[in-house]
């Protein structure tokens, strides 16, 4: 259809260009897409996704495990493996878990489910640097913060960092069930038809 490519081009432009967009039905599915992309990009043995305690990427089976909120996923045990959880806004804690099995770090610019907990610019810059040094994807969950909700098009733009993958939903459809996962073209290339 005509609107899909137009919206994808607009989102790519708002994120700085050079990426591709995969549309989904929700924010949880957008984050599920990001997790699957990280695993496909990393390959066997480099599949772990690290996220912060108190985050909330969604209610699919994988996204229930990603945030490290045991009460949310308890009824659905055993949850999929391949997730590690670290203290929020703690760069040393993050650095301590980044071994060769880690494919990606998934963070929100502002945690919404765990309270209104904004990241610091220093934290996001440090995460970007660690990911670059170790060949790890930096994925940013903008489901709640994206599309103008923080005063920039995307919350991470306040910090001057460019993620490898960005997920969005809520404000994208204003109540219509739609989400999207944007990734830099070289990362998106891990997905094949």
């Amino acid at each position: 259809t005509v609107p899909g490519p137009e919206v994808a081009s607009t989102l790519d432009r708002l994120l700085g260009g050079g990426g591709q967009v995969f549309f989904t039905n929700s924010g949880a599915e957008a984050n599920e897409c990001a997790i699957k992309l990280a695993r496909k990009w990393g390959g066997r043995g480099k599949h772990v996704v690290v996220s912060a305690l108190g985050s909330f990427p969604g209610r699919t089976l994988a996204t229930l495990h990603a945030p490290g909120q045991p009460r949310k996923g308890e009824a659905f045990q055993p949850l999929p493996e391949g997730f590690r959880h670290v203290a929020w806004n703690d760069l040393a804690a993050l650095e301590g878990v980044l071994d060769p099995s880690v494919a990606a770090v998934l963070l929100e610019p502002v945690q919404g489910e765990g309270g209104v907990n904004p990241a610091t610019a220093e934290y996001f810059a440090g995460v970007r640097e660690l990911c670059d040094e170790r060949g790890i994807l930096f994925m940013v969950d903008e489901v709640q913060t994206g599309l103008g909700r923080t005063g920039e098009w995307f919350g991470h733009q306040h910090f001057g960092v460019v993620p490898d993958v960005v997920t969005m939903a809520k404000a994208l459809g204003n109540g219509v069930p739609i989400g999207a996962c944007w990734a830099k073209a070289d990362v998106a290339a891990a997905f094949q038809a």
Side-chain angles (χ1 to χ4, degrees), residues 99-110:
D99 64 29
S101 69
V102 175
V105 174
L106 174 62
L107 297 172
E108 299 160 292
V110 180

Side-chain angles (χ1 to χ4, degrees), residues 99-178:
D99 64 29
S101 69
V102 175
V105 174
L106 174 62
L107 297 172
E108 299 160 292
V110 180
Q111 287 187 332
E113 184 81 9
V116 181
N117 303 317
T120 64
E122 295 77 20
Y123 181 59
F124 259 51
V127 173
R128 177 74 271 177
E129 189 175 325
L130 284 172
C131 289
D132 288 343
E133 286 172 1
R134 297 167 190 232
I136 295 169
L137 298 179
F138 186 14
M139 306 192 305
V140 178
D141 174 350
E142 294 268 10
V143 169
Q144 290 193 38
T145 53
L147 299 161
R149 287 180 159 189
T150 66
E152 295 285 351
W153 281 112
F154 293 92
H156 70 269
Q157 292 171 336
H158 289 282
F159 308 136
V161 300
V162 178
D164 301 299
V165 178
V166 177
T167 59
M168 64 206 83
K170 299 191 187 306
L172 183 61
N174 295 308
V176 175
I178 185 171

Side-chain angles (χ1 to χ4, degrees), residues 27-33 35 51 55-69 72 79-80 83 106:
E29 288 180 29
N31 282 321
E32 184 85 18
C33 176
I35 292 165
S51 60
S55 60
F56 188 70
R59 294 190 186 277
T60 65
L61 203 55
T63 58
L64 273 172
H65 195 188
Q69 291 193 47
K72 297 240 189 263
L79 294 171
F83 296 94
L106 174 62

Side-chain angles (χ1 to χ4, degrees), residues 47-58:
H47 65 280
V48 172
V49 174
V50 179
S51 60
L53 294 167
S55 60
F56 188 70

